[in-house]
């Protein structure tokens, strides 16, 4: 009997039960399973699974659940993480920087699209999604792409898509990489004919 009560009891997540602090200028509203976060950097909306409740106060948001078993900590932890990301995105935004490595590799922004020369037979044109913006610092001469936006998931997917057009190759290191990314390098094929290989 005791085992059944323990299994069916409401469990909590150590991370999920922590309140999400709301910076000044950020508001959170919830209607059913839909949550909206507004802030200086934009407005983000997301729909979460049923079974979780939000306690929204002036300076924080707390995620709770009345579900039994392992569903409660799993959902509260996930929802809490997403809301925290939305709050950061709406208040501060996210930034990712990509580096173009290779002779003639360049990027420029035209309108709402990124135009890239990546050593292919044709230029790559990538329309920027959502509120994602791209900047090319003048001093980089087109070899740095700085992405900014409020949606963390969209930011990560956008950066991964751009990198995917020409991933860094392991021999010369040419390609598109995240700034600071360590590219595993491979040694080139050794030339044939070592010392003393020929007849005198």
């Amino acid at each position: 009997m005791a085992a059944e009560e323990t299994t069916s009891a409401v469990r909590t997540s150590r991370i999920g039960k922590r309140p999400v602090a709301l910076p000044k200028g950020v508001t959170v509203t919830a209607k059913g399973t839909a949550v909206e976060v507004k802030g200086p950097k934009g407005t983000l909306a997301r729909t979460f699974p049923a079974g979780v409740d939000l306690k929204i106060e002036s300076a924080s948001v707390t995620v709770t659940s009345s579900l039994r078993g392992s569903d409660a900590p799993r959902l509260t932890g996930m929802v809490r993480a997403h809301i925290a990301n939305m709050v950061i995105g709406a208040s501060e935004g996210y930034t990712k920087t990509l580096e173009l490595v290779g002779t003639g590799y360049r990027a420029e922004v035209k309108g709402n699209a990124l135009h890239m020369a990546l050593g292919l037979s044709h230029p790559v044109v990538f329309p920027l999604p959502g509120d994602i913006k791209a900047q090319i610092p003048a001093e980089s001469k087109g070899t740095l792409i700085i992405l900014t936006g409020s949606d963390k998931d969209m930011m990560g997917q956008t950066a991964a898509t751009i990198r995917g057009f020409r991933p860094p190759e392991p021999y010369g290191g040419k390609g598109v990489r995240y700034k600071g990314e360590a590219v595993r390098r491979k040694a080139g094929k050794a030339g044939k004919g070592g010392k003393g290989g020929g007849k005198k």
Side-chain angles (χ1 to χ4, degrees), residues 40-51:
K41 296 295 183 178
T43 300
L44 297 169
R46 194 176 189 116
T47 300
F48 294 109

Side-chain angles (χ1 to χ4, degrees), residues 38-116:
K38 290 184 178 180
K41 296 295 183 178
T43 300
L44 297 169
R46 194 176 189 116
T47 300
F48 294 109
V52 293
D53 299 305
L54 301 185
K55 182 181 179 182
I56 302 173
E57 300 178 322
S58 60
S60 67
V61 176
T62 304
V63 182
T64 60
S65 176
S66 58
L67 295 176
R68 302 286 174 172
S70 61
D71 285 339
R74 177 175 59 83
L75 286 177
T76 54
M78 180 194 72
V79 172
R80 195 264 180 203
H82 281 305
I83 290 177
N85 289 339
M86 293 168 71
V87 168
I88 293 174
S91 60
E92 304 172 13
Y94 290 96
T95 300
K96 275 190 177 293
T97 302
L98 297 168
E99 297 178 312
L100 277 59
V101 179
T103 303
Y105 285 26
R106 297 289 182 273
E108 62 178 327
V109 179
K110 294 182 180 179
N112 196 42
L114 196 58
H115 292 245
M116 296 170 284

Side-chain angles (χ1 to χ4, degrees), residues 3-40:
E4 293 180 0
E5 291 178 354
T6 302
T7 303
S8 62
V10 177
R11 298 168 60 185
T12 59
S13 166
R14 288 181 299 172
I15 295 177
K17 66 183 180 181
R18 296 177 186 171
V20 178
L22 298 181
K24 186 177 180 181
V26 175
T27 59
V28 177
T29 55
K31 186 176 182 180
T33 58
V35 177
E36 185 178 80
V37 180
K38 290 184 178 180

